[in-house]
Amino acid sequence: QVQLVESGGGLVQPGGSLRLSCAASGSIFSICSMGWYRQAPGKQRELVATVTSGGSTNYKDSVKGRFTISRDNAKNTVYLQMNSLKPEDTAVYYCNAAIKTDWGRPPLNTWGQGTLVTVSS
């Protein structure tokens, strides 16, 4: 069994910064892609950023230049540095990872419990 635990959400003023962290634990053989998604009230969950095991990144257009995703493979942790935050960034942010528990098994699509980010003055 594997799990993802997020931290770092909170209330921040427009223009401010936050750093989200997500640590994977459990019976981990390897982790393929890791990423962050978000869901605002009344809206569907959307991709924010992803990073592969090799370090290739992908971002939602509206966060490019403001958010940076990174990962520490030794710690099985992914981060999301969010700068120049806007009220429209307000959402519950979810960590996602494709985790293999054994070399012969397909990766498990795993979600964290979510952390709330509120951007407001």
Side-chain angles (χ1 to χ4, degrees), residues 28-35 50-56 71 73 76 78 96-102 105-108:
I28 298 171
F29 175 76
S30 66
I31 303 178
C32 307
S33 65
M34 302 185 82
T50 61
V51 58
T52 68
S53 57
S56 297
R71 64 190 281 176
N73 291 328
N76 292 328
V78 63
N96 175 265
I99 301 175
K100 295 190 69 172
T101 58
D102 186 278
R105 295 180 179 271
L108 299 174

Side-chain angles (χ1 to χ4, degrees), residues 35-49:
W36 291 94
Y37 291 70
R38 68 187 182 187
Q39 187 167 17
K43 295 187 177 181
Q44 290 187 332
R45 190 174 298 189
E46 61 181 10
L47 182 147
V48 176

Side-chain angles (χ1 to χ4, degrees), residues 4-121:
L4 299 172
V5 178
E6 300 124 333
S7 60
L11 173 64
V12 63
Q13 292 186 343
S17 298
L18 280 176
R19 188 192 194 208
L20 305 182
S21 300
C22 171
S25 62
S27 182
I28 298 171
F29 175 76
S30 66
I31 303 178
C32 307
S33 65
M34 302 185 82
W36 291 94
Y37 291 70
R38 68 187 182 187
Q39 187 167 17
K43 295 187 177 181
Q44 290 187 332
R45 190 174 298 189
E46 61 181 10
L47 182 147
V48 176
T50 61
V51 58
T52 68
S53 57
S56 297
T57 59
N58 180 54
Y59 294 93
K60 177 181 174 61
D61 284 346
S62 64
V63 307
K64 287 180 180 177
R66 300 189 297 123
F67 291 9
T68 302
I69 189 170
S70 61
R71 64 190 281 176
D72 184 332
N73 291 328
K75 295 182 179 180
N76 292 328
T77 299
V78 63
Y79 306 95
L80 186 67
Q81 177 66 43
M82 304 184 293
N83 299 328
S84 302
L85 282 160
K86 304 176 180 180
E88 51 264 41
D89 295 318
T90 295
V92 177
Y93 284 70
Y94 296 91
C95 177
N96 175 265
I99 301 175
K100 295 190 69 172
T101 58
D102 186 278
W103 71 272
R105 295 180 179 271
L108 299 174
N109 188 34
T110 308
W111 291 93
Q113 80 285 358
T115 185
L116 178 62
V117 172
T118 303
V119 185
S120 175
S121 55

